[in-house]
């Protein structure tokens, strides 16, 4: 049976390399695909794999964001002479199955080189070295019936390009991956975005990690502008979101586009889904505080995809009972905005995992980001829960010393109430996530704390104002200006 | 807010509230947004629904004659009922209205189709 398996080249975009393996494994599980690995090296822009048939290969390509294209392998070698010998042998041996391709009316050969540039003339010369191929059709660069790819890999290090290519590959181009979706869902053209909207590529990768399929119920408890819901809905999920920020959920927060002074009336998460033709997948968004229970126990989600606030661009907040010695002067008729207090990342992740353990279906996935300082990363700092198994963990570097990891958990056992929920969640190391914000803003080990700096700056401003008054100038009222701007957002 | 979402919301976050379900729904303004009927999704959602809250929502939405008061057996085979459930649960959008906690009477307003489930700091 093994002879029937076919070899394929997976040609990847060399971007977010750390997410590639996790995505491949998720898609293999999503579609229940069989495969055999042929390449050990995980950083190269291509892998060689074996699939039992073309359908399997195409199924993988139908969802992959990391993949540029999938190519049916004809020949692979580390030297040119060996490459041509193998290609001739393959063409001789597979005469019958390949006949149809070689007999096609029109064809095109694409030359792709990695880490070394070649002129058009040189590329044509490379094509001409394969003149022994029994191609019968004519060249058609626009709409060829058959397309072959000739690939040369010249190492990963641009400062040490080898004398000869490390890998030479040739094969028939079968299908593109789904990278066109990155452009289609680009934030640049999206109706409603905010400061922390996730870029299209990463949000699509997250939906793949969550194995979203048609008819799934997907929830984002920190929905913001709904950027994660867009890609989940694109893959057929019915999406539900919640956020503590009233202004954000109602799309009345300050616009984040530099050209935009006031939010358009019709901006909303629903409008985003409409823009991409998946308005049918919109369930609801609501204003709610994640730290308090809201959902009935019976609701189960197929997946939870979320990007919790790190306290850098969006505040980490929750509503909390506070001891208040003052008389409550609020009346029922008055609008009241609950005061929020800091929601430490440690507690936030503990709540998130607990929520996943109770509200995910068995086998459902929780996909979320965890920010951290690179110097203190260790496996031990990742939040854990007895009912959730960590199945993937990929890093994206943010700045020189900060990064975030995309964590994928899978619920592997039915939830049974335990007396103390803290038993089932191991806490994050206090020095890591909890202090993420403080350390982020104090990265250079500055001597003064954030509070001290704020007081010093305020004193400086006060001094400046006094000097201005002494010179007989009236300072402009910045506060009034800000209030006017806020009012304008509601008109 | 869609009536499917309504079926899952509770007010148990309020201090002292044990069940907080079902919330008392009032509809002041609603909209009907047609959407594609997806029998697979409805069937997957059905076992998660609380039928008394489905029927309660149908009464408030003035669609009670479409929905039986008790959950019938083998709903999946009744295409017409599935269509009606689809209309009730996914096509009716409550734009203005309120949700009331059955135990404390605390009111959660719904504005622009978005329920505000936030509590004040002295209520949690």
């Amino acid at each position: 049976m093994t002879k029937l398996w076919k070899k394929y080249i997976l040609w990847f975009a060399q971007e977010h390399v750390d997410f590639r393996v996790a995505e491949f494994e998720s898609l293999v599980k999503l579609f229940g695909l069989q495969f055999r690995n042929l390449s050990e090296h995980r950083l190269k822009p291509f892998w060689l794999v074996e699939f039992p048939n073309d359908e399997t290969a195409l199924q993988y390509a139908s969802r992959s964001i990391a993949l540029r294209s999938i190519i049916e392998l004809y020949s692979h070698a580390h030297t040119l002479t060996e490459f041509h010998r193998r290609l001739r042998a393959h063409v001789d041996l597979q005469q019958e199955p390949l006949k149809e391709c070689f007999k096609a009316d029109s064809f095109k050969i694409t030359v792709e080189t990695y880490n070394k540039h070649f002129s058009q003339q040189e590329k044509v010369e490379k094509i001409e070295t394969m003149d022994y191929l029994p191609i019968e059709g004519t060249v058609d660069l626009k709409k060829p019936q058959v397309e072959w790819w000739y690939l040369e890999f010249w190492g990963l290090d641009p400062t040490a390009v080898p004398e000869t290519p490390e890998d030479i590959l040739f094969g028939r181009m079968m299908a593109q991956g789904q990278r066109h979706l990155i452009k289609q869902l680009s934030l640049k053209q999206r109706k409603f975005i905010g400061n922390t909207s996730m870029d299209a590529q990463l949000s699509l990768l997250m939906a793949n990690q969550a194995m979203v399929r048609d008819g799934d119920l997907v929830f984002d408890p920190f929905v913001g502008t709904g950027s994660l819901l867009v890609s989940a809905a694109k893959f057929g999920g019915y999406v539900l979101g919640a956020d503590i920020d009233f202004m954000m959920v109602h799309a009345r927060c300050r616009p984040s586009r530099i050209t935009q002074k006031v939010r358009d009336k019709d901006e909303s998460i629903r409008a985003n889904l409409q823009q991409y033709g998946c308005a049918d997948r919109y369930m609801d968004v609501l204003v709610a505080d994640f730290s308090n229970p809201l959902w009935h126990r019976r609701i189960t989600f197929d997946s939870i995809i979320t990007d919790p606030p790190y306290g850098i661009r969006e505040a980490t907040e929750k509503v909390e009972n506070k001891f208040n010695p003052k008389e409550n002067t609020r009346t029922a008729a008055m609008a009241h905005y609950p005061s929020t207090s800091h929601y430490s990342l440690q507690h936030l992740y503990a709540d998130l995992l607990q929520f996943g353990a109770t509200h995910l279906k068995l086998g459902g996935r929780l996909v979320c980001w965890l920010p951290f300082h690179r110097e203190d990363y260790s496996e031990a700092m990742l939040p854990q829960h007895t009912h959730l198994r960590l199945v993937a963990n990929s890093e994206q570097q943010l700045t020189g010393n900060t990064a975030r990891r995309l964590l994928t958990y899978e619920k592997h056992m039915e939830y049974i109430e335990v007396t103390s929920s803290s038993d089932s969640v191991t806490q994050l190391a206090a020095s890591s996530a909890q202090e993420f914000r403080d350390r982020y803003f104090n990265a250079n080990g500055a001597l003064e704390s954030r509070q001290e700096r704020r007081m010093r700056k305020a004193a400086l401003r006060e001094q400046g104002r006094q000097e201005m008054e002494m010179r007989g100038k009236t300072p402009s009222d910045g506060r009034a200006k800000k209030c006017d701007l806020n009012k304008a957002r509601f008109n | 807010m869609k009536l499917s979402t309504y079926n899952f919301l509770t007010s148990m976050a309020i201090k002292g509230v044990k069940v907080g379900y079902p919330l008392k729904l009032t509809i002041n303004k609603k909209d009907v947004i047609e959407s594609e009927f997806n029998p697979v999704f409805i069937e997957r959602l059905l076992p998660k629904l609380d039928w008394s809250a489905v029927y309660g929502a149908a009464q408030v939405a003035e669609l009670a004659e479409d929905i039986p008061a008790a959950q019938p057996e083998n709903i999946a085979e009744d295409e017409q009922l599935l269509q009606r459930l689809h209309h009730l649960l996914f096509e009716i959008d409550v734009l203005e209205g309120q949700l009331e906690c059955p135990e404390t009477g605390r009111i959660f307003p719904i504005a622009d189709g978005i329920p505000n489930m936030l509590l004040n700091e002295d209520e949690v």
Side-chain angles (χ1 to χ4, degrees):
Chain A
M1 283 302 284
T2 50
K3 275 191 183 154
L4 294 175
W5 285 54
K6 278 168 77 177
K7 290 179 182 161
Y8 299 89
I9 310 165
L10 307 183
W11 189 261
F12 294 103
Q14 204 68 345
E15 192 178 8
H16 300 308
V17 177
D18 200 28
F19 293 70
R20 203 182 270 166
V21 181
E23 196 209 33
F24 183 80
E25 284 169 358
S26 296
L27 295 181
V28 159
K29 184 159 186 187
L30 172 66
F31 293 118
L33 306 179
Q34 286 178 285
F35 75 99
R36 283 200 295 254
N37 248 321
L38 297 175
S39 39
E40 291 298 312
H41 204 298
R42 285 285 172 259
L43 296 176
K44 287 184 184 179
F46 67 91
W47 295 353
L48 298 179
V49 295
E50 273 186 316
F51 286 124
N53 49 43
D54 285 359
E55 287 76 53
T56 308
L58 292 175
Q59 231 173 351
Y60 167 67
S62 74
R63 267 296 282 270
S64 179
I65 298 300
L67 182 78
R68 278 183 62 194
S69 42
I70 189 158
I71 297 157
E72 180 191 338
L73 181 75
Y74 285 11
S75 170
H76 168 233
H78 301 292
T79 62
L80 274 167
T81 38
E82 181 62 16
F83 166 76
H84 286 294
R85 195 189 64 73
R86 286 186 189 174
L87 183 55
R88 279 175 204 266
H90 182 82
V91 172
D92 274 349
L93 214 67
Q94 305 281 328
Q95 258 176 16
E96 269 313 299
L98 294 183
K99 204 166 69 185
E100 208 176 314
C101 294
F102 286 123
K103 277 197 185 316
D105 288 340
S106 58
F107 76 97
K108 173 185 174 182
I109 297 178
T110 305
V111 176
E112 177 89 25
T113 55
Y114 188 88
N115 207 22
K116 188 164 174 130
H117 182 77
F118 288 95
S119 69
Q120 195 54 40
Q121 181 58 37
E122 285 166 316
K123 285 182 178 179
V124 171
E125 281 164 17
K126 284 179 193 299
I127 294 174
E128 280 167 359
T129 59
M130 296 180 291
D131 55 5
Y132 49 84
L133 291 176
I135 299 171
E136 293 182 11
T138 52
V139 177
D140 181 349
L141 296 182
K142 287 209 176 98
K143 268 194 169 172
Q145 281 180 6
V146 182
E147 187 175 346
W148 287 288
W149 277 38
Y150 173 83
L151 306 159
E152 279 181 8
F153 174 70
W154 293 75
L156 284 168
D157 185 358
T159 60
V161 181
E163 300 266 304
T164 54
E166 287 181 15
D167 294 272
I168 307 121
L169 306 112
F170 183 81
R172 181 176 65 88
M173 156 85 178
M174 293 179 63
Q176 307 270 347
Q178 298 302 306
R179 293 189 70 76
H180 62 95
L181 287 176
I182 298 170
K183 205 170 175 191
Q184 193 190 335
L185 303 186
S186 160
L187 292 180
K188 289 180 184 171
Q189 274 82 41
R190 193 171 297 175
K191 182 85 194 161
F192 172 44
I193 61 163
N195 288 338
T196 55
S197 295
M198 182 68 62
D199 84 64
Q201 176 162 194
L202 288 171
S203 93
L204 286 160
L205 281 171
M206 287 174 80
N208 275 345
Q209 281 307 102
M211 305 199 299
V212 175
R213 57 194 112 191
D214 188 32
D216 272 6
L217 187 59
V218 182
F219 180 55
D220 180 356
F222 302 97
V223 70
T225 58
S227 48
L228 304 181
L229 298 187
V230 164
S231 48
K234 197 73 197 164
F235 289 139
Y238 285 80
V239 295
L240 197 60
D243 203 291
I244 194 171
D245 190 341
F246 181 94
M247 300 288 265
M248 181 79 87
V249 175
H250 282 267
R252 285 286 158 264
C253 48
R254 190 165 297 184
S256 45
R257 287 197 165 94
I258 195 158
T259 52
Q260 201 180 0
K261 284 269 181 286
V262 187
R263 289 262 182 211
D264 292 341
K265 273 249 180 279
D266 55 349
E267 283 188 41
S268 68
I269 293 171
R270 189 200 290 253
N272 281 349
L273 293 182
Q274 256 155 9
Q275 184 183 349
Y276 301 122
C278 35
D280 281 355
R281 308 281 151 165
Y282 176 86
M283 296 291 285
D284 263 314
V285 289
L286 23 111
V287 185
D289 173 14
F290 185 65
S291 71
N292 286 315
L294 172 70
W295 300 99
H296 198 282
R297 277 294 300 272
R298 256 195 335 268
I299 193 169
T300 51
F301 301 106
D302 296 294
S303 47
I304 297 168
I305 309 180
T306 197
D307 183 22
Y310 317 147
I312 310 296
R313 294 194 197 179
E314 288 295 344
T316 43
E317 297 175 313
K318 65 173 173 177
V319 179
E320 195 171 52
N321 197 355
K322 289 171 193 153
F323 175 68
N324 192 358
K326 272 189 285 179
E327 187 75 17
N328 199 344
T329 53
R330 197 174 72 235
T331 61
M334 280 165 73
H336 175 71
Y337 306 99
S339 88
T340 51
S341 47
H342 180 62
Y343 192 4
S344 79
L345 279 185
Q346 196 178 355
H347 288 121
L348 191 155
Y349 281 97
D351 287 350
L352 186 58
L353 266 64
Q354 180 63 25
F355 184 82
T358 46
H359 285 289
L360 274 175
K361 71 168 181 191
L362 199 60
R365 285 186 166 189
L366 164 67
V367 180
C368 61
W369 289 98
L370 177 75
F372 61 95
H373 289 267
R374 299 187 83 203
E375 60 205 23
D376 43 44
Y377 174 74
S378 71
E379 292 265 328
M381 68 174 273
L382 300 177
Q384 292 170 26
H385 195 287
T386 45
H387 293 76
L388 302 171
R389 181 170 40 223
L390 186 69
V391 291
N393 170 5
S394 315
E395 181 176 316
Q396 181 199 15
Q397 196 169 343
L398 296 175
T399 63
N401 54 359
T402 61
R404 57 181 177 181
R405 277 179 179 264
L406 184 63
L407 305 178
T408 307
Y409 294 92
E410 196 166 282
K411 180 167 165 180
H412 63 95
M413 58 199 271
E414 276 307 344
Y415 185 73
I416 306 147
E417 198 90 44
V418 282
T419 42
S420 158
S421 62
S422 60
D423 288 347
S424 47
V425 182
T426 51
Q427 306 277 308
L428 290 168
S431 67
S432 53
Q434 193 188 16
E435 312 293 340
F436 183 72
R437 180 179 201 280
D438 293 340
R439 291 188 50 195
Y440 182 89
F441 285 113
N442 210 356
N444 308 324
L447 291 172
E448 55 180 357
S449 72
R450 275 173 54 72
Q451 176 136 23
E452 283 166 357
R453 192 170 63 220
R454 222 166 47 213
M455 300 307 282
R456 186 170 56 82
K457 289 265 169 80
L460 265 177
R461 275 199 302 275
E462 183 56 35
Q463 197 191 344
R465 192 155 45 231
Q466 281 170 1
E467 281 172 8
M468 232 169 139
E469 270 169 18
M470 274 161 64
R471 288 200 305 271
K473 273 189 175 176
T474 40
S476 68
D477 190 353
R479 193 179 158 75
K481 252 188 204 163
K482 205 171 168 184
C483 284
D484 288 343
L485 197 70
N486 276 337
K487 278 178 201 153
R489 285 192 283 162
F490 272 104
N491 292 334
Chain B
M1 182 194 71
K2 296 198 164 96
L3 295 176
S4 48
T5 308
Y6 164 72
N7 207 284
F8 298 118
L9 291 178
T10 73
S11 60
M12 62 182 152
I14 304 176
K15 199 164 40 179
V17 170
K18 289 251 152 44
V19 183
Y21 187 86
L23 299 169
K24 198 173 150 228
L25 173 70
T26 311
I27 302 177
N28 296 330
K29 189 177 161 201
K30 66 179 179 197
D31 198 4
V32 177
I33 298 172
E34 280 184 29
S35 69
E36 190 197 339
F37 174 60
N38 184 342
V40 182
F41 181 57
I42 291 239
E43 278 168 40
R44 280 174 66 180
L45 199 69
L46 270 177
K48 301 174 190 170
L49 294 172
D50 179 291
W51 194 269
S52 63
V54 172
Y55 185 66
Q59 282 175 313
V60 179
E62 292 160 357
L63 287 165
E65 65 270 24
D66 284 358
I67 308 290
Q71 181 164 10
E73 305 262 319
N74 303 332
I75 298 189
E77 288 152 30
D78 188 346
E79 167 98 13
Q80 196 185 16
L81 182 58
L82 285 182
Q83 293 261 16
R84 284 172 176 170
L85 279 171
H86 169 77
H87 176 68
L88 176 74
L89 296 172
F90 303 123
E91 296 195 320
I92 291 176
D93 195 18
V94 181
L95 292 179
E96 311 288 335
Q98 64 181 44
L99 299 164
E100 187 185 322
C101 169
E103 289 165 52
T104 62
R106 163 68 148 95
I107 284 168
F108 300 95
I110 304 171
D112 290 330
I114 300 174
N116 183 355
M117 305 305 289
L118 273 192
L119 292 168
N120 294 324
E121 56 275 23
D122 52 356
E123 292 172 311
V124 296

